[in-house]
């Protein structure tokens, strides 16, 4: 009996000790998961490279990814959206200010709250590479910059017409897979990303990620080398194909994802198998450190907000009051300020012509005078000059 | 992402002490909003929104602390104004062309595409540098490609575009004007524009701005005008920010063919409340052509009437005050209804009207014709015509002719600045006196330049745009204009300051031109490389071979048996086999 009691007491004490230990283990694993991804902010660069009305589907592709990314939490200030042509307000669009992704006009992916950063002729290979590497002219506004740091997860989505090893921009220039790989290497060396997800929806898209060599890159493409990506369905009222097959099924998949969802990259790789897409989507994970099964979709498509809740009081300093600006001299100034005459005819007629700034003589004039002087000195010689002058 | 807020314990003693020392500064800014609806003779309807924020402060103070507390005035614009020392800023984005002959004159005119003109403060030393940075910053604020504004499309008008606000020195060195006729206007330009309003698009008149309806119209124009004005009640200078949105709905496309309009039909929304931050919020409906109600029926009825002299004419308006609760009725929603009863006659012809077109054939030369109509029966008045033509249309100014009533009309002032290739556009400003009831034609011939192949846009066969001509005029007015610039005037009649009673200032924009430049075949470099390489390979290759190839007789090596036999014979000293 004593032995039993002793055993019971021993077991009870053991239990008492192990419960808090187990609890702290649980807290540690939860904390570990909290910081497992290693990124603190999310960015997205979404590019549509095609121009002209019959490439409506490429703009719809980009806008549907934009819509999903905004819905899952990435704010406009962290999205660089590049659309090479305007489809919504195009004169051929029977429903202006809309871009539809499903036929019968079910879903308007353009919405009411869109901010396009690069549009029309601004979408060029040079601007795209400058955005990625951060080498923009100093007067570029913030909304056009990719201000990522070494703890940013970036999503890059490209769509348009492509071929084996290149992507066409606006029917006039192209970017090659080597240029793209070098741009990503520059980003890695400048520590402009923590992890990068690259999705491309073009014909022979897998050729674009063949040459990547920087770490922490994961890539998805809609078709293999030698295959074409196909478009999904036309809408008879609008008259063009609305979406590409791969992005259509990608949008359907992303509509199921919500900010707290636990879907991981393996589910993303299964999007649009060959039975639906006709082309074979491909992916590349060898440069990625983590196992794709442990990477959440929201690590790239959503936005991370690490929130710390505190119960301490924070004392705010009293606000700075703007100084009273009614100075005495102000009244005197006002007497002399008046509205200007919009069309002062008499003044205009008697306007003196603007004094032209003096410019040094042009190269042509200088050359002409040099020729004249040379000929002169050759004919008459220097020693005769004193007779002439 | 869900998180629960925890109540933060406030230290009571500290809180009360802080609240005693903090007194909010008296509000020196105010916000007014109004909507003017003008039914047009063709059955279309013209709606003009105006939002005005007045702020009694000085952005351009030197030495004192920079303005840091913004209430109704948007911070993004305030920072732009103080950083670039901007005295006046006018920017507009327009889709469509204003048809003066069918719709009359707009309250605030604007050319198709984007237009930006800025007066800088006289203390600025590098105006061009400030201009370049300002266009980049504005392109980020309005999501537009304003960064394409550079030296090749900026001009410095010498007599047009005088400041619309307070100003003494009008040295035109501080004025810059640029227009982008190709600029597209869509929801992405409307979104940041709406965000500049104090109530955003959540309350007040801005609730009506739904892009699906606004862009499905014949004309859509949104603009921002910032200028310093004189506030009569305070005798001080204050800054005025006006955001205007003009839209004309076509009764065939938006109205489904019926001459019946309502707020819900136009905007797919009704009004439920005024903006709480607005000191006045009104809707005006123009009923001048409908004194007895025989033309159209307006409901809900309102006893408030207002008369205003606008664009040289005295117009009567029904006023709905949204700050009063009874405007919204029992349903708490205000929906205006206009039903046309009779057929309206012809509209009064506008006094000033202009057209522009390109004549000629081929891709080498052409002629620009600008036609200005003066429809006043007996009065002549002067107009200032400003033309800014890109450098690749090389104008021959010696062919410039101005004819009125088939006689030569010599302008009293001409300012011409020739273009410099890839550096500066042409600027032509002329002050022309228009005889009464006449048509004046200005023609100038030009030659098209061949651009370098990298300067073509990705779609060069579309053509290249030439910006609208601007015609500024003082048109004789039918009624006396009031020169009093008071606060009580409705916003739409108090935009342009009036100096004399007998005429009003108006600006008319012509159509932009679309010209085709000689376009090369862009596949030619590839063709040339292929052809050249083939020719070089075939021609030079064979020539090289002919000269340097030598022929040598080569004996095949004998079989093994013969070689062995030869070896033995060599040892024996006997002659070898063949």
């Amino acid at each position: 009996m004593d032995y039993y009691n002793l055993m019971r007491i021993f077991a009870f004490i053991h239990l008492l000790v192990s419960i808090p230990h187990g609890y702290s283990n649980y807290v540690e694993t939860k904390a570990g998961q909290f910081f497992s991804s290693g990124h603190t902010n999310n960015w997205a660069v979404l590019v549509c490279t095609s121009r002209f009305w019959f490439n409506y589907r490429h703009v719809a592709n980009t806008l549907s990814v934009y819509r999903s990314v905004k819905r899952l939490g990435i704010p406009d200030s962290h999205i660089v959206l590049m659309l090479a042509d305007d489809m919504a307000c195009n004169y051929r669009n029977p429903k202006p200010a809309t871009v539809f992704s499903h036929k019968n006009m079910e879903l308007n992916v353009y919405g009411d709250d869109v901010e396009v950063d690069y549009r029309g002729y601004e979408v060029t290979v040079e601007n795209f590479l400058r955005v990625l590497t951060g080498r923009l002219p100093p007067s570029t506004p913030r909304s056009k910059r990719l201000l990522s740091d070494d703890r940013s997860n970036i999503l890059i989505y490209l769509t348009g017409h492509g071929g084996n090893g290149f992507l066409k921009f606006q029917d006039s220039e192209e970017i090659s897979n080597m240029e793209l790989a070098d741009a990503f290497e520059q980003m890695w060396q400048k520590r402009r990303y923590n992890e990068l997800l690259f999705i491309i929806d073009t014909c022979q898209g897998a050729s674009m990620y063949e040459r990547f060599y920087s770490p922490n890159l994961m890539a998805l493409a809609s078709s293999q080398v030698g295959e074409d990506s196909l478009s999904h369905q036309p809408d008879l009222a609008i008259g063009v194909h609305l979406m590409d097959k791969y992005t259509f099924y990608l949008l359907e998949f992303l509509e199921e994802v919500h900010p707290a969802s636990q879907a991981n990259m393996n589910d993303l790789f299964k999007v649009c198998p060959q039975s639906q897409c006709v082309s074979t989507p491909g992916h590349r994970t060898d440069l990625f450190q983590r196992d794709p099964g442990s990477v959440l979709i929201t690590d790239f498509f959503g936005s991370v907000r690490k929130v710390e809740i505190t119960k301490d009081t924070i004392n705010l300093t009293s606000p700075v009051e703007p100084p009273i600006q009614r100075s005495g001299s102000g009244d005197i100034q006002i007497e002399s300020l008046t509205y200007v005459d919009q069309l002062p005819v008499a003044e205009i007629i008697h306007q003196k012509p603007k004094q032209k700034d003096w410019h040094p003589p042009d190269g042509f004039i200088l050359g002409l005078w040099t020729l004249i002087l040379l000929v002169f000195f050759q004919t008459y010689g220097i020693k005769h000059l004193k007779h002439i002058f | 992402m869900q998180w629960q807020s925890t109540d933060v314990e406030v230290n009571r003693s500290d809180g009360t002490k802080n609240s005693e020392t903090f007194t909010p500064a008296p509000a020196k800014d105010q916000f007014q909003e109004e909507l003017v609806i003008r039914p047009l003779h063709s059955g279309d309807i013209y709606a003009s929104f105006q939002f005005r924020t007045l702020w009694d402060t000085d952005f351009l103070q030197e030495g004192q602390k920079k303005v840091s507390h913004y209430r109704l005035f948007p911070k993004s614009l305030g920072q732009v104004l103080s950083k670039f020392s901007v005295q006046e800023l006018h920017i507009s984005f327009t889709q469509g062309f204003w048809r003066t002959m069918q719709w009359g004159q707009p309250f605030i005119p604007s050319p198709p595409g984007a237009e930006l003109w800025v007066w800088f403060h006289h203390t600025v030393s590098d105006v061009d540098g400030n201009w370049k940075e300002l266009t980049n910053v504005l392109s980020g604020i309005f999501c537009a490609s304003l960064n394409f504004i550079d030296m090749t499309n900026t001009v410095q008008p010498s007599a047009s575009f005088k400041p619309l606000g307070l100003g003494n020195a009008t040295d035109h060195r501080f004025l810059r004007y640029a227009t982008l006729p190709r600029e597209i206007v869509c929801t992405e330009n409307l979104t940041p524009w709406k965000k500049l309003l104090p109530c955003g698009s959540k309350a007040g008149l801005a609730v009506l701005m739904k892009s699906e309806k606004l862009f499905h119209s014949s004309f859509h124009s949104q603009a921002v005008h910032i200028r310093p004005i004189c506030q009569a009640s305070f005798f001080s200078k204050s800054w005025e920010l006006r955001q205007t949105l003009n839209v004309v709905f076509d009764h065939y496309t938006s109205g489904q063919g019926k001459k019946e309009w309502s707020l819900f039909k136009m905007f797919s929304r009704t009004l439920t409340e005024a903006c709480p931050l607005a000191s006045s919020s009104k809707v005006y409906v123009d009923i001048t052509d409908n004194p007895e109600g025989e033309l159209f029926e307006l409901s809900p009825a309102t006893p408030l009437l207002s008369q205003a002299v606008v664009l040289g004419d005295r117009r009567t308006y029904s006023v709905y005050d949204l700050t009063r609760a009874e405007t919204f009725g029992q349903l708490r929603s205000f929906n205006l209804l206009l039903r046309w009863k009779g057929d309206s006659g012809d509209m009064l012809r506008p006094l000033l009207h202009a057209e522009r077109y390109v004549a000629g054939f081929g891709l080498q030369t052409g002629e620009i014709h600008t036609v200005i109509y003066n429809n006043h029966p007996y009065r002549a008045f002067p107009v200032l015509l400003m033309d800014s033509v890109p450098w690749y249309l090389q104008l021959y100014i010696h062919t410039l002719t101005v004819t009125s009533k088939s006689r030569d009309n010599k302008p009293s002032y001409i300012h011409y600045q020739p273009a410099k290739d890839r550096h500066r556009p042409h600027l032509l400003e002329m002050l022309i006196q228009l005889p009464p009831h006449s048509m004046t034609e200005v023609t100038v011939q030009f030659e098209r330049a061949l651009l370098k192949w990298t300067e073509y846009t990705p779609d060069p066969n579309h053509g290249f745009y030439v910006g609208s001509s601007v015609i500024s005029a003082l048109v004789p007015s039918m009624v006396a204009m009031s020169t009093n610039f008071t606060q009580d005037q409705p916003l739409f009649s108090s935009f342009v300051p009036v100096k004399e009673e007998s005429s009003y200032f108006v600006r008319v924009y012509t159509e932009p031109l679309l010209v085709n430049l000689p376009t090369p075949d862009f596949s030619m470099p590839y063709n040339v490389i292929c052809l050249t390489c083939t020719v070089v390979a075939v021609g030079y290759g064979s020539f090289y071979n002919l000269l340097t190839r030598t022929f040598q007789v080569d004996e095949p090596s004998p079989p093994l048996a013969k070689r062995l036999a030869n070896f033995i014979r060599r040892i024996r000293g006997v002659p070898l086999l063949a």
Side-chain angles (χ1 to χ4, degrees):
Chain A
M1 287 302 265
D2 277 338
Y3 184 68
Y4 256 152
N5 274 345
L6 208 61
M7 277 305 289
R8 249 191 280 158
I9 293 164
F10 186 70
F12 186 61
I13 294 167
H14 190 256
L15 209 62
L16 273 177
V17 167
S18 68
I19 284 173
H21 187 254
Y23 181 69
S24 67
N25 255 353
Y26 167 75
V27 165
E28 270 173 23
T29 40
K30 261 292 184 230
Q33 271 174 22
F34 200 59
F35 294 111
S36 69
S37 57
H39 71 284
T40 57
N41 54 75
N42 285 78
W43 287 82
V45 179
L46 311 172
V47 185
C48 159
T49 61
S50 305
R51 174 166 275 278
F52 305 121
W53 173 245
F54 52 82
N55 290 321
Y56 182 103
R57 57 189 188 278
H58 297 139
V59 172
N61 287 352
T62 319
L63 285 172
S64 43
V65 177
Y66 172 76
R67 173 208 151 77
S68 311
V69 149
K70 254 179 92 154
R71 193 177 51 86
L72 292 172
I74 304 189
D76 268 314
S77 53
H78 282 225
I79 303 178
V80 178
L81 178 62
M82 303 170 83
L83 297 180
D85 201 0
D86 172 58
M87 300 301 166
C89 289
N90 196 317
Y91 292 113
R92 288 179 156 132
N93 194 346
K95 295 209 70 169
T98 58
V99 173
F100 292 107
S101 60
H102 290 59
K103 71 170 182 208
N104 301 326
M105 303 186 191
E106 283 165 22
L107 181 59
N108 174 17
V109 287
Y110 196 57
D112 220 8
D113 191 27
V114 60
E115 283 184 22
V116 181
D117 301 305
Y118 287 85
R119 55 192 207 144
Y121 298 134
E122 287 176 292
V123 179
T124 56
V125 175
E126 184 189 338
N127 281 352
F128 175 58
L129 292 177
R130 279 184 187 278
V131 163
L132 286 184
T133 53
R135 291 204 183 122
L136 289 159
S139 50
T140 316
R142 279 181 77 102
S143 58
K144 288 186 166 172
R145 287 180 190 257
L146 179 65
L147 298 164
S148 57
D149 51 29
D150 63 320
R151 303 291 292 274
S152 314
N153 272 13
I154 308 183
L155 164 72
I156 297 187
Y157 177 81
L158 292 174
T159 182
H161 288 290
N164 191 352
F166 67 92
L167 171 63
K168 189 169 72 158
F169 266 70
Q170 294 217 42
D171 213 18
S172 66
E173 48 180 7
E174 55 194 40
I175 185 173
S176 66
N177 49 7
M178 208 58 229
E179 277 180 339
L180 199 56
D182 287 339
F184 287 154
E185 176 64 14
Q186 277 194 49
M187 285 174 80
W188 173 251
Q189 294 204 355
K190 285 160 79 164
R191 295 292 180 267
R192 278 171 69 79
Y193 68 88
N194 176 37
E195 284 168 350
L196 201 143
L197 175 63
F198 175 77
I199 305 183
I200 183 159
D201 187 355
T202 63
C203 302
Q204 308 194 47
S207 61
M208 290 304 284
Y209 62 63
E210 272 174 358
R211 304 288 194 107
F212 289 173
Y213 54 94
S214 319
N216 286 353
L217 290 179
M218 196 188 316
L220 276 108
S222 60
S223 55
Q224 300 292 334
V225 175
E227 284 181 350
D228 286 338
S229 288
L230 302 176
S231 58
H232 190 57
Q233 8 158 264
D235 181 291
L236 295 174
I238 298 177
V240 283
H241 285 260
L242 295 179
M243 284 274 269
D244 277 333
K245 283 191 154 66
Y246 180 73
T247 314
F248 182 81
Y249 290 107
L250 180 69
L251 175 67
E252 271 193 9
F253 169 75
L254 287 173
E255 291 283 297
E256 313 278 313
V257 173
H258 55 89
S261 113
Q262 296 292 309
N264 58 37
M265 283 295 158
N266 284 334
D267 304 324
L268 193 62
F269 296 156
K270 292 198 205 96
V271 161
C272 207
Q274 198 180 11
S275 53
Q276 282 176 325
C277 253
V278 184
S279 57
T280 322
H283 54 89
R284 180 175 175 183
T285 51
D286 55 315
L287 294 165
F288 205 73
Q289 314 275 12
R290 294 191 285 151
D291 170 41
S294 69
V295 180
L296 298 176
I297 299 280
T298 50
D299 276 353
F300 288 102
F301 285 88
S303 185
V304 172
R305 291 278 181 269
K306 299 276 193 259
V307 177
E308 257 186 50
I309 300 174
T310 175
K311 284 194 162 38
D312 305 324
T313 325
I314 300 170
N315 283 326
L316 298 171
T317 53
S318 55
V320 178
E321 287 172 33
I324 315 288
Q325 286 159 15
R326 243 170 261 304
S327 52
S329 60
D331 293 321
I332 305 165
Q333 252 180 338
I334 291 307
E335 303 318 317
S336 55
L337 282 176
T338 50
Y339 290 105
V340 180
D341 210 355
Q342 287 300 305
L343 192 69
V345 177
E347 205 185 292
I348 290 173
I349 293 175
H350 298 300
Q351 206 165 341
K352 266 207 276 260
K354 206 170 61 149
Q355 295 294 336
K356 261 179 68 167
D357 301 325
W358 181 81
H359 291 290
D362 217 357
F364 175 70
I365 305 289
L366 272 174
L368 193 65
W369 276 106
T370 318
L371 183 68
I372 292 171
L373 284 170
L374 262 169
V375 170
F376 182 80
F377 286 133
Q378 200 160 29
T379 11
Y380 293 107
I382 305 277
K383 57 185 193 293
H384 290 264
L385 267 181
K386 61 180 194 293
H387 297 293
I388 301 167
F389 291 109
Chain B
M1 239 119 350
Q2 279 153 355
W3 55 280
Q4 283 142 342
S5 59
T6 52
D7 291 318
V8 177
E9 304 267 322
V10 176
N11 200 341
R12 291 284 162 203
S13 56
D14 276 359
T16 44
K17 210 191 327 176
N18 279 345
S19 67
E20 270 162 39
T21 52
F22 170 58
T23 45
K28 294 184 276 185
D29 48 5
Q30 54 162 301
F31 174 66
Q32 296 157 314
E33 54 179 19
E34 72 177 31
L35 165 62
V36 181
I37 296 182
R38 187 162 98 189
L40 300 168
H41 280 252
S42 47
D44 305 333
I45 195 153
Y46 169 35
S48 171
F49 291 85
Q50 288 214 26
F51 301 92
R52 178 167 88 158
T53 308
L54 275 174
W55 196 17
D56 195 10
T57 181
D58 199 355
F59 287 112
L60 305 172
Q61 272 171 347
E62 294 128 20
Q64 292 214 19
K65 241 195 297 195
K66 286 250 156 75
V67 176
S68 56
H69 179 63
Y70 290 86
R71 204 171 75 100
L72 296 177
F73 200 93
K75 183 173 177 183
S76 49
L77 287 181
Q79 288 181 325
V80 163
L81 293 179
S82 47
K83 179 160 184 213
F84 298 111
S85 307
V86 170
Q87 173 96 353
E88 257 188 57
L89 181 105
H90 300 268
I91 185 167
S92 71
F93 297 96
T94 311
Q95 179 202 59
F97 180 67
W98 183 267
R99 294 171 208 162
T100 315
M101 290 304 271
Q102 286 147 323
W103 300 339
Q105 292 283 2
F107 294 123
I108 296 180
S110 50
E115 186 202 39
L116 172 67
W117 57 282
V118 175
W119 273 94
F120 288 95
H121 203 243
H122 55 84
T123 53
V124 171
S125 53
D126 180 19
V127 180
D128 284 324
N130 274 22
W131 170 252
K132 184 81 189 127
E133 287 196 30
L134 177 65
T135 51
N136 277 311
V137 167
L138 289 174
S139 85
I141 294 178
F142 291 106
C143 286
S145 329
L146 296 174
N147 45 321
F148 283 128
I149 293 178
D150 56 5
M151 302 289 289
T152 59
N153 48 23
T154 310
V155 289
Q156 196 182 310
S158 66
S160 314
F161 292 102
K162 295 261 183 243
L164 283 167
L166 287 176
N168 244 357
T170 54
D171 187 352
H172 280 258
R173 276 187 300 133
F174 297 104
L175 169 64
R176 291 290 184 273
Y177 173 85
T179 170
L180 291 172
R182 186 80 204 265
E183 192 64 20
I184 299 161
V185 185
C186 207
T187 313
E188 64 254 21
N189 304 111
L190 187 64
T191 310
W193 189 93
K194 282 196 288 191
K195 286 187 184 161
L196 294 174
L197 296 170
C199 282
S201 52
K202 308 249 178 354
L205 291 172
V207 148
L208 297 176
M209 293 182 186
K210 290 293 153 196
S211 54
E212 285 189 16
K213 285 287 186 179
L214 284 181
F215 290 103
H216 198 47
S217 56
S218 307
F219 178 82
H220 170 99
S221 168
Q222 60 197 56
V224 172
H225 300 275
I226 304 177
R227 56 179 181 162
I229 65 164
C230 174
Q231 264 196 300
S233 42
F234 295 116
F235 293 103
S236 58
K237 188 167 96 160
S238 54
W239 283 87
E240 179 197 67
L241 162 70
R242 256 188 217 240
Q243 289 180 252
T244 63
L245 193 138
N246 293 342
V247 61
V248 175
F249 291 104
D250 192 318
H251 81 284
Y252 288 115
T253 47
S254 313
Q256 286 121 38
K258 283 192 282 215
K259 281 190 181 180
E260 189 184 297
W261 291 105
S262 70
L263 279 184
F264 189 75
K265 197 173 185 189
M266 290 195 277
F267 303 108
S268 68
R269 287 284 183 285
T270 58
L271 290 167
T272 48
E273 56 166 344
C275 172
L277 299 168
S279 60
S280 104
S281 175
K282 294 199 168 93
V283 177
Y284 293 85
V285 182
D286 190 339
I287 54 167
T288 320
D289 300 320
N290 194 33
E292 312 299 321
E294 74 274 4
L295 196 60
F296 57 83
E297 184 194 306
L298 179 65
S299 68
T302 175
L304 292 171
L305 286 176
S306 149
Q307 283 214 336
V309 179
V310 60
L311 296 170
D313 198 8
R314 176 161 288 129
R315 315 285 298 182
T316 317
Y317 294 90
S318 293
V319 184
Y320 298 88
D321 193 345
L322 298 175
T323 47
R324 292 204 216 154
E326 55 263 19
T327 321
F328 296 102
Q330 294 217 326
L331 297 166
R332 304 276 177 85
S333 112
F334 171 68
N335 186 14
L336 205 63
L337 198 63
L338 264 123
R339 200 178 291 118
W340 289 76
K341 285 201 278 205
D343 202 11
S344 54
D346 285 324
M347 191 184 72
L348 260 174
R349 282 174 72 183
L351 292 175
L352 179 66
H353 170 57
E355 285 171 357
R356 193 161 80 141
Y357 55 90
V358 173
F361 60 91
L363 284 175
Q364 193 176 358
T365 52
E367 213 172 271
I368 300 181
H369 290 244
T370 311
V371 184
I372 313 173
Y373 297 92
N374 175 2
N375 293 325
H376 201 282
Y378 52 86
R379 290 278 297 271
F381 52 86
V383 298
L384 186 63
L385 168 68
M386 186 186 98
D387 243 324
S388 162
V389 179
W391 64 268
Y392 40 80
L393 295 189
Q394 294 153 341
L395 297 180
Y396 292 132
I397 287 293
H398 72 278
T399 57
L400 175 70
T401 58
V402 183
T403 46
S404 316
K405 289 182 170 169
S406 43
R407 267 197 312 220
D408 228 0
N409 183 354
K410 191 164 165 351
S412 23
Y413 170 79
I414 301 185
H415 171 75
Y416 174 62
Q417 192 183 52
K420 251 197 204 170
D421 272 5
R422 297 176 182 87
H423 195 254
R424 206 171 58 194
H426 297 272
L427 175 66
L428 178 63
E429 277 183 278
M430 293 193 290
L431 186 69
I432 309 171
Q433 187 80 5
L434 297 181
H437 204 68
S438 69
M439 175 187 99
T440 307
E441 195 166 337
V442 179
T443 58
V444 64
Q445 288 181 3
F446 64 88
E447 189 176 307
R448 295 170 220 233
L450 191 63
L451 300 176
K452 294 183 184 167
W453 77 292
T454 46
E455 288 173 345
Y456 286 96
T457 53
D459 53 351
N461 290 300
H462 179 86
F464 288 78
Y465 282 87
V466 177
S468 317
S469 298
V470 188
I471 295 161
S472 321
L474 276 174
V475 180
S477 155
M478 289 192 275
V479 288
M481 307 280 295
S482 75
T483 49
N484 244 347
F485 208 58
T486 58
Q487 284 270 67
D488 307 324
Q489 271 181 330
L491 293 178
F492 59 89
S493 60
S494 62
F495 185 58
V496 181
V498 178
K499 281 278 177 165
E500 47 168 5
E501 291 184 336
S502 56
S503 56
Y504 64 97
F505 178 74
V506 79
R507 200 169 265 146
V508 175
Y509 290 93
T510 62
E511 297 95 327
L513 301 174
L514 184 59
V515 285
N516 265 330
L517 290 184
T519 310
D521 182 357
F522 291 100
S523 62
M524 276 318 279
Y526 169 73
N527 295 342
V528 165
I529 290 171
C530 282
L531 187 66
T532 317
C533 290
T534 312
V535 165
V536 165
V538 170
Y540 177 72
S542 35
F543 194 63
Y544 176 80
N545 277 340
L546 209 62
L547 288 177
T548 56
R549 204 162 44 187
T550 54
F551 292 97
Q552 288 170 338
V553 179
D554 190 26
E555 284 178 16
S557 59
L560 187 63
K562 230 188 203 175
R563 269 194 279 167
L564 212 59
N566 274 341
F567 179 67
I568 297 167
R569 281 187 173 219
R570 213 180 288 132
I571 294 172
R572 283 174 52 196
V574 168
L576 301 170
L577 286 172

XYZ file of all heavy atoms in Angstrom, chain A residues 326 331 334, chain B residues 56 166 229-238:
120
model
N -0.927 85.844 -37.728
C -1.403 87.165 -38.148
C -0.354 88.204 -37.785
O -0.362 88.761 -36.729
C -2.725 87.482 -37.444
C -3.795 87.607 -38.474
C -5.180 87.689 -37.954
N -5.878 86.426 -38.008
C -6.054 85.701 -39.101
N -5.562 86.091 -40.230
N -6.732 84.592 -39.069
N -1.303 92.908 -43.304
C -2.372 93.758 -43.828
C -1.837 94.710 -44.870
O -2.466 94.959 -45.890
C -3.007 94.559 -42.681
C -3.727 93.626 -41.727
O -4.345 92.679 -42.233
O -3.643 93.828 -40.517
N -1.474 93.075 -48.192
C -2.688 92.714 -48.932
C -3.185 93.874 -49.776
O -3.715 93.677 -50.851
C -3.779 92.248 -47.951
C -3.359 90.919 -47.341
C -5.110 92.074 -48.649
C -2.992 89.874 -48.341
N -6.555 79.352 -44.531
C -5.896 80.609 -44.235
C -4.515 80.322 -43.689
O -4.295 80.308 -42.488
C -6.750 81.353 -43.201
C -6.352 82.800 -43.109
O -5.566 83.245 -43.964
O -6.826 83.463 -42.179
N -4.370 85.654 -56.698
C -3.716 86.906 -56.358
C -2.298 86.899 -56.877
O -1.607 85.905 -56.838
C -3.659 87.072 -54.829
C -4.956 87.399 -54.123
C -4.714 87.422 -52.643
C -5.497 88.709 -54.593
N -6.202 83.225 -52.926
C -7.263 84.205 -53.179
C -7.405 85.129 -51.992
O -6.824 84.910 -50.933
C -8.627 83.535 -53.468
C -9.143 82.788 -52.253
C -8.537 82.641 -54.674
C -10.605 82.458 -52.385
N -8.211 86.136 -52.217
C -8.434 87.152 -51.204
C -9.742 86.817 -50.511
O -10.762 86.663 -51.154
C -8.512 88.497 -51.910
S -8.958 89.844 -50.869
N -9.688 86.696 -49.205
C -10.934 86.432 -48.479
C -11.473 87.745 -47.972
O -10.882 88.362 -47.090
C -10.641 85.505 -47.299
C -10.919 84.070 -47.641
C -11.001 83.222 -46.411
O -10.040 83.142 -45.670
N -12.134 82.636 -46.163
N -12.609 88.171 -48.548
C -13.108 89.528 -48.252
C -13.388 89.718 -46.773
O -13.187 90.786 -46.224
C -14.369 89.782 -49.070
N -13.870 88.656 -46.120
C -14.253 88.850 -44.723
C -13.058 88.954 -43.801
O -13.163 89.463 -42.711
C -15.172 87.714 -44.277
O -14.677 86.506 -44.776
N -11.918 88.435 -44.192
C -10.793 88.443 -43.270
C -9.650 89.343 -43.734
O -8.679 89.496 -43.032
C -10.240 87.026 -43.067
C -11.199 86.116 -42.406
C -11.699 85.011 -43.077
C -11.604 86.350 -41.108
C -12.590 84.151 -42.452
C -12.492 85.490 -40.488
C -12.989 84.395 -41.161
N -9.758 89.936 -44.898
C -8.703 90.800 -45.432
C -7.352 90.121 -45.416
O -6.348 90.701 -45.057
C -8.615 92.114 -44.639
C -9.839 92.952 -44.831
C -10.801 93.009 -43.843
C -10.028 93.645 -46.006
C -11.943 93.753 -44.039
C -11.172 94.393 -46.206
C -12.129 94.456 -45.208
N -7.329 88.869 -45.737
C -6.040 88.197 -45.737
C -5.987 87.259 -46.931
O -6.978 87.000 -47.591
C -5.864 87.399 -44.450
O -6.921 86.469 -44.363
N -4.805 86.746 -47.152
C -4.614 85.857 -48.291
C -4.850 84.436 -47.810
O -4.341 84.028 -46.773
C -3.180 86.019 -48.794
C -2.900 85.308 -50.074
C -1.592 85.776 -50.656
C -0.471 84.840 -50.262
N 0.683 84.993 -51.167
N -5.625 83.697 -48.538
C -5.780 82.298 -48.162
C -5.668 81.442 -49.403
O -5.829 81.905 -50.517
C -7.105 82.060 -47.455
O -8.151 82.544 -48.243
